[in-house]
Amino acid sequence: QVQLVESGGGLVQAGGSLRLSCAASGRTFSRYTMGWFRQAPGKEREFVAAISSWSGSITYYADSVKGRFTISRDNAKNTVYLQMNALKSEDTAVYYCAADSEGALHTRVVVTTDPYDYWGQGTQVTVSS
């Protein structure tokens, strides 16, 4: 019922920056906890970042991206963002956004794919050396 569309991926040199966007359909975007995940070739999908519903006052990051990536949301635009700085080759992956309609951010579960009801199609991020 809810459609998520990622954009902003591309090729960037190590040390560079990229900003991903995820646009959501529907009228209840503000109620959703939103997350970003990524999947590299031959690897399992892994958690990147999550942001709480409404004002997005709570954020959580994987240790591998903490201090480099920033998740944010603009409810007026039904969009969640992932600002990626100081990119490394190991950041290369397909990045997916996801929405949890239940709305409450619980660290123990939002780092897994389980609570998310909706997923985008993914956008490729390639970091070259």
Side-chain angles (χ1 to χ4, degrees), residues 4-6 8 20-21 23 30 36 41 55 71 78 84 86 88 90 92 97 100 105-106 113 115 126:
L4 304 175
V5 181
E6 301 96 334
L20 305 183
S21 298
S30 296
W36 284 97
S55 67
I71 187 171
N78 271 29
M84 305 183 294
K88 307 173 181 179
E90 50 261 48
T92 295
C97 66
D100 173 10
L105 192 155
H106 302 289
T113 59
T126 303

PDB file of all heavy atoms in Angstrom, residues 4-6 8 20-21 23 30 36 41 55 71 78 84 86 88 90 92 97 100 105-106 113 115 126:
ATOM      1  N   LEU A   4       7.785   3.093  -1.643  1.00  0.00           N
ATOM      2  CA  LEU A   4       9.000   3.806  -1.306  1.00  0.00           C
ATOM      3  C   LEU A   4       9.917   3.791  -2.520  1.00  0.00           C
ATOM      4  O   LEU A   4      10.142   2.736  -3.108  1.00  0.00           O
ATOM      5  CB  LEU A   4       9.710   3.149  -0.124  1.00  0.00           C
ATOM      6  CG  LEU A   4       8.907   2.979   1.164  1.00  0.00           C
ATOM      7  CD1 LEU A   4       9.722   2.191   2.185  1.00  0.00           C
ATOM      8  CD2 LEU A   4       8.525   4.337   1.732  1.00  0.00           C
ATOM      9  N   VAL A   5      10.440   4.940  -2.877  1.00  0.00           N
ATOM     10  CA  VAL A   5      11.303   5.062  -4.040  1.00  0.00           C
ATOM     11  C   VAL A   5      12.589   5.762  -3.653  1.00  0.00           C
ATOM     12  O   VAL A   5      12.573   6.948  -3.298  1.00  0.00           O
ATOM     13  CB  VAL A   5      10.614   5.822  -5.182  1.00  0.00           C
ATOM     14  CG1 VAL A   5      11.549   5.912  -6.384  1.00  0.00           C
ATOM     15  CG2 VAL A   5       9.315   5.143  -5.577  1.00  0.00           C
ATOM     16  N   GLU A   6      13.698   5.033  -3.740  1.00  0.00           N
ATOM     17  CA  GLU A   6      15.001   5.610  -3.426  1.00  0.00           C
ATOM     18  C   GLU A   6      15.587   6.300  -4.652  1.00  0.00           C
ATOM     19  O   GLU A   6      15.314   5.907  -5.787  1.00  0.00           O
ATOM     20  CB  GLU A   6      15.984   4.531  -2.951  1.00  0.00           C
ATOM     21  CG  GLU A   6      15.547   3.763  -1.722  1.00  0.00           C
ATOM     22  CD  GLU A   6      14.881   2.456  -2.066  1.00  0.00           C
ATOM     23  OE1 GLU A   6      14.310   2.342  -3.173  1.00  0.00           O
ATOM     24  OE2 GLU A   6      14.932   1.534  -1.230  1.00  0.00           O
ATOM     25  N   GLY A   8      19.303   8.990  -5.748  1.00  0.00           N
ATOM     26  CA  GLY A   8      20.510   9.665  -5.315  1.00  0.00           C
ATOM     27  C   GLY A   8      21.766   8.825  -5.330  1.00  0.00           C
ATOM     28  O   GLY A   8      22.856   9.335  -5.054  1.00  0.00           O
ATOM     29  N   LEU A  20      21.283  10.271  -0.307  1.00  0.00           N
ATOM     30  CA  LEU A  20      20.204   9.434  -0.785  1.00  0.00           C
ATOM     31  C   LEU A  20      18.866   9.975  -0.302  1.00  0.00           C
ATOM     32  O   LEU A  20      18.763  10.511   0.794  1.00  0.00           O
ATOM     33  CB  LEU A  20      20.368   7.995  -0.297  1.00  0.00           C
ATOM     34  CG  LEU A  20      21.698   7.300  -0.605  1.00  0.00           C
ATOM     35  CD1 LEU A  20      21.635   5.858  -0.117  1.00  0.00           C
ATOM     36  CD2 LEU A  20      22.016   7.362  -2.090  1.00  0.00           C
ATOM     37  N   SER A  21      17.853   9.811  -1.128  1.00  0.00           N
ATOM     38  CA  SER A  21      16.501  10.211  -0.772  1.00  0.00           C
ATOM     39  C   SER A  21      15.573   9.019  -0.918  1.00  0.00           C
ATOM     40  O   SER A  21      15.788   8.154  -1.764  1.00  0.00           O
ATOM     41  CB  SER A  21      16.009  11.345  -1.671  1.00  0.00           C
ATOM     42  OG  SER A  21      16.812  12.501  -1.542  1.00  0.00           O
ATOM     43  N   ALA A  23      11.445   8.674  -1.179  1.00  0.00           N
ATOM     44  CA  ALA A  23      10.139   9.309  -1.220  1.00  0.00           C
ATOM     45  C   ALA A  23       9.050   8.276  -0.987  1.00  0.00           C
ATOM     46  O   ALA A  23       9.047   7.217  -1.614  1.00  0.00           O
ATOM     47  CB  ALA A  23       9.928   9.998  -2.562  1.00  0.00           C
ATOM     48  N   SER A  30       4.455  10.429   8.496  1.00  0.00           N
ATOM     49  CA  SER A  30       4.969  10.909   9.770  1.00  0.00           C
ATOM     50  C   SER A  30       4.881   9.863  10.874  1.00  0.00           C
ATOM     51  O   SER A  30       5.636   9.927  11.846  1.00  0.00           O
ATOM     52  CB  SER A  30       4.219  12.168  10.217  1.00  0.00           C
ATOM     53  OG  SER A  30       4.433  13.238   9.319  1.00  0.00           O
ATOM     54  N   TRP A  36      17.285   2.741   6.897  1.00  0.00           N
ATOM     55  CA  TRP A  36      18.108   2.495   5.717  1.00  0.00           C
ATOM     56  C   TRP A  36      18.902   1.213   5.937  1.00  0.00           C
ATOM     57  O   TRP A  36      19.477   1.008   7.016  1.00  0.00           O
ATOM     58  CB  TRP A  36      19.083   3.637   5.446  1.00  0.00           C
ATOM     59  CG  TRP A  36      18.466   4.858   4.846  1.00  0.00           C
ATOM     60  CD1 TRP A  36      18.063   5.983   5.493  1.00  0.00           C
ATOM     61  CD2 TRP A  36      18.196   5.079   3.454  1.00  0.00           C
ATOM     62  NE1 TRP A  36      17.557   6.895   4.603  1.00  0.00           N
ATOM     63  CE2 TRP A  36      17.628   6.366   3.345  1.00  0.00           C
ATOM     64  CE3 TRP A  36      18.381   4.320   2.299  1.00  0.00           C
ATOM     65  CZ2 TRP A  36      17.244   6.905   2.120  1.00  0.00           C
ATOM     66  CZ3 TRP A  36      17.990   4.855   1.083  1.00  0.00           C
ATOM     67  CH2 TRP A  36      17.427   6.132   1.006  1.00  0.00           C
ATOM     68  N   PRO A  41      27.284  -7.255  -2.728  1.00  0.00           N
ATOM     69  CA  PRO A  41      27.284  -8.555  -3.401  1.00  0.00           C
ATOM     70  C   PRO A  41      27.806  -9.661  -2.500  1.00  0.00           C
ATOM     71  O   PRO A  41      28.859  -9.527  -1.879  1.00  0.00           O
ATOM     72  CB  PRO A  41      28.215  -8.329  -4.594  1.00  0.00           C
ATOM     73  CG  PRO A  41      28.108  -6.870  -4.871  1.00  0.00           C
ATOM     74  CD  PRO A  41      27.987  -6.232  -3.516  1.00  0.00           C
ATOM     75  N   SER A  55       8.764  13.746  14.602  1.00  0.00           N
ATOM     76  CA  SER A  55       9.848  14.715  14.471  1.00  0.00           C
ATOM     77  C   SER A  55      11.203  14.083  14.159  1.00  0.00           C
ATOM     78  O   SER A  55      12.146  14.795  13.809  1.00  0.00           O
ATOM     79  CB  SER A  55       9.967  15.550  15.736  1.00  0.00           C
ATOM     80  OG  SER A  55      10.404  14.766  16.830  1.00  0.00           O
ATOM     81  N   ILE A  71      20.988  10.387   9.088  1.00  0.00           N
ATOM     82  CA  ILE A  71      19.632  10.148   8.613  1.00  0.00           C
ATOM     83  C   ILE A  71      18.744  11.301   9.066  1.00  0.00           C
ATOM     84  O   ILE A  71      18.897  11.814  10.179  1.00  0.00           O
ATOM     85  CB  ILE A  71      19.089   8.788   9.117  1.00  0.00           C
ATOM     86  CG1 ILE A  71      17.742   8.467   8.466  1.00  0.00           C
ATOM     87  CG2 ILE A  71      18.988   8.758  10.636  1.00  0.00           C
ATOM     88  CD1 ILE A  71      17.257   7.040   8.747  1.00  0.00           C
ATOM     89  N   ASN A  78       7.273  13.928   2.612  1.00  0.00           N
ATOM     90  CA  ASN A  78       7.193  12.464   2.694  1.00  0.00           C
ATOM     91  C   ASN A  78       8.510  11.812   2.290  1.00  0.00           C
ATOM     92  O   ASN A  78       8.535  10.826   1.548  1.00  0.00           O
ATOM     93  CB  ASN A  78       6.065  11.940   1.798  1.00  0.00           C
ATOM     94  CG  ASN A  78       4.728  11.861   2.508  1.00  0.00           C
ATOM     95  OD1 ASN A  78       4.455  12.632   3.430  1.00  0.00           O
ATOM     96  ND2 ASN A  78       3.884  10.937   2.078  1.00  0.00           N
ATOM     97  N   MET A  84      25.629  10.780   3.310  1.00  0.00           N
ATOM     98  CA  MET A  84      26.788   9.919   3.472  1.00  0.00           C
ATOM     99  C   MET A  84      28.048  10.716   3.178  1.00  0.00           C
ATOM    100  O   MET A  84      28.233  11.207   2.058  1.00  0.00           O
ATOM    101  CB  MET A  84      26.695   8.705   2.550  1.00  0.00           C
ATOM    102  CG  MET A  84      25.416   7.900   2.723  1.00  0.00           C
ATOM    103  SD  MET A  84      25.373   6.415   1.687  1.00  0.00           S
ATOM    104  CE  MET A  84      25.310   7.174   0.063  1.00  0.00           C
ATOM    105  N   ALA A  86      32.501  11.057   3.854  1.00  0.00           N
ATOM    106  CA  ALA A  86      33.721  10.275   4.047  1.00  0.00           C
ATOM    107  C   ALA A  86      33.527   8.829   3.604  1.00  0.00           C
ATOM    108  O   ALA A  86      33.864   7.891   4.315  1.00  0.00           O
ATOM    109  CB  ALA A  86      34.164  10.341   5.507  1.00  0.00           C
ATOM    110  N   LYS A  88      33.717   5.213   2.002  1.00  0.00           N
ATOM    111  CA  LYS A  88      34.769   4.223   1.859  1.00  0.00           C
ATOM    112  C   LYS A  88      34.343   3.181   0.838  1.00  0.00           C
ATOM    113  O   LYS A  88      33.154   3.010   0.574  1.00  0.00           O
ATOM    114  CB  LYS A  88      35.045   3.529   3.203  1.00  0.00           C
ATOM    115  CG  LYS A  88      35.316   4.458   4.358  1.00  0.00           C
ATOM    116  CD  LYS A  88      35.405   3.674   5.659  1.00  0.00           C
ATOM    117  CE  LYS A  88      35.655   4.578   6.843  1.00  0.00           C
ATOM    118  NZ  LYS A  88      35.709   3.814   8.115  1.00  0.00           N
ATOM    119  N   GLU A  90      34.155   0.119   1.210  1.00  0.00           N
ATOM    120  CA  GLU A  90      33.295  -0.865   1.851  1.00  0.00           C
ATOM    121  C   GLU A  90      31.853  -0.400   2.008  1.00  0.00           C
ATOM    122  O   GLU A  90      30.989  -1.176   2.429  1.00  0.00           O
ATOM    123  CB  GLU A  90      33.856  -1.302   3.210  1.00  0.00           C
ATOM    124  CG  GLU A  90      34.243  -0.152   4.116  1.00  0.00           C
ATOM    125  CD  GLU A  90      35.730   0.139   4.077  1.00  0.00           C
ATOM    126  OE1 GLU A  90      36.284   0.235   2.963  1.00  0.00           O
ATOM    127  OE2 GLU A  90      36.340   0.268   5.165  1.00  0.00           O
ATOM    128  N   THR A  92      30.186   0.452  -0.559  1.00  0.00           N
ATOM    129  CA  THR A  92      29.581   0.062  -1.826  1.00  0.00           C
ATOM    130  C   THR A  92      28.512  -0.999  -1.599  1.00  0.00           C
ATOM    131  O   THR A  92      28.775  -2.044  -1.004  1.00  0.00           O
ATOM    132  CB  THR A  92      30.643  -0.467  -2.798  1.00  0.00           C
ATOM    133  OG1 THR A  92      31.545   0.586  -3.133  1.00  0.00           O
ATOM    134  CG2 THR A  92      30.001  -0.995  -4.073  1.00  0.00           C
ATOM    135  N   CYS A  97      15.579   1.784   1.489  1.00  0.00           N
ATOM    136  CA  CYS A  97      14.863   2.397   2.594  1.00  0.00           C
ATOM    137  C   CYS A  97      13.685   1.515   2.959  1.00  0.00           C
ATOM    138  O   CYS A  97      13.194   0.730   2.150  1.00  0.00           O
ATOM    139  CB  CYS A  97      14.401   3.824   2.265  1.00  0.00           C
ATOM    140  SG  CYS A  97      13.153   3.967   0.973  1.00  0.00           S
ATOM    141  N   ASP A 100       8.476   1.283   8.937  1.00  0.00           N
ATOM    142  CA  ASP A 100       7.815   0.505   9.981  1.00  0.00           C
ATOM    143  C   ASP A 100       6.554   1.253  10.375  1.00  0.00           C
ATOM    144  O   ASP A 100       6.622   2.294  11.029  1.00  0.00           O
ATOM    145  CB  ASP A 100       8.750   0.333  11.173  1.00  0.00           C
ATOM    146  CG  ASP A 100       8.086  -0.324  12.371  1.00  0.00           C
ATOM    147  OD1 ASP A 100       6.957  -0.833  12.243  1.00  0.00           O
ATOM    148  OD2 ASP A 100       8.711  -0.343  13.455  1.00  0.00           O
ATOM    149  N   LEU A 105      10.319   3.353  17.700  1.00  0.00           N
ATOM    150  CA  LEU A 105      11.693   2.933  17.439  1.00  0.00           C
ATOM    151  C   LEU A 105      12.235   2.185  18.652  1.00  0.00           C
ATOM    152  O   LEU A 105      12.411   2.769  19.721  1.00  0.00           O
ATOM    153  CB  LEU A 105      12.573   4.137  17.107  1.00  0.00           C
ATOM    154  CG  LEU A 105      13.967   3.844  16.530  1.00  0.00           C
ATOM    155  CD1 LEU A 105      14.459   5.023  15.718  1.00  0.00           C
ATOM    156  CD2 LEU A 105      14.963   3.501  17.621  1.00  0.00           C
ATOM    157  N   HIS A 106      12.476   0.909  18.453  1.00  0.00           N
ATOM    158  CA  HIS A 106      13.098   0.081  19.481  1.00  0.00           C
ATOM    159  C   HIS A 106      14.405  -0.450  18.916  1.00  0.00           C
ATOM    160  O   HIS A 106      14.409  -1.239  17.978  1.00  0.00           O
ATOM    161  CB  HIS A 106      12.184  -1.068  19.892  1.00  0.00           C
ATOM    162  CG  HIS A 106      10.855  -0.628  20.410  1.00  0.00           C
ATOM    163  ND1 HIS A 106      10.708  -0.016  21.637  1.00  0.00           N
ATOM    164  CD2 HIS A 106       9.617  -0.684  19.862  1.00  0.00           C
ATOM    165  CE1 HIS A 106       9.436   0.279  21.830  1.00  0.00           C
ATOM    166  NE2 HIS A 106       8.755  -0.119  20.775  1.00  0.00           N
ATOM    167  N   THR A 113      15.541  -6.512   9.870  1.00  0.00           N
ATOM    168  CA  THR A 113      14.546  -6.230   8.844  1.00  0.00           C
ATOM    169  C   THR A 113      13.123  -6.514   9.307  1.00  0.00           C
ATOM    170  O   THR A 113      12.172  -6.077   8.666  1.00  0.00           O
ATOM    171  CB  THR A 113      14.816  -7.054   7.577  1.00  0.00           C
ATOM    172  OG1 THR A 113      14.779  -8.450   7.895  1.00  0.00           O
ATOM    173  CG2 THR A 113      16.179  -6.717   6.992  1.00  0.00           C
ATOM    174  N   PRO A 115      10.813  -5.542  11.661  1.00  0.00           N
ATOM    175  CA  PRO A 115       9.686  -4.639  11.919  1.00  0.00           C
ATOM    176  C   PRO A 115       9.233  -3.816  10.712  1.00  0.00           C
ATOM    177  O   PRO A 115       8.198  -3.166  10.793  1.00  0.00           O
ATOM    178  CB  PRO A 115      10.229  -3.713  13.011  1.00  0.00           C
ATOM    179  CG  PRO A 115      11.686  -3.637  12.733  1.00  0.00           C
ATOM    180  CD  PRO A 115      12.060  -5.027  12.272  1.00  0.00           C
ATOM    181  N   THR A 126      28.231   3.171  -5.395  1.00  0.00           N
ATOM    182  CA  THR A 126      29.530   2.598  -5.679  1.00  0.00           C
ATOM    183  C   THR A 126      30.611   3.597  -5.306  1.00  0.00           C
ATOM    184  O   THR A 126      30.618   4.718  -5.814  1.00  0.00           O
ATOM    185  CB  THR A 126      29.668   2.213  -7.155  1.00  0.00           C
ATOM    186  OG1 THR A 126      28.630   1.298  -7.511  1.00  0.00           O
ATOM    187  CG2 THR A 126      31.019   1.565  -7.420  1.00  0.00           C
TER     188      THR A 126
END
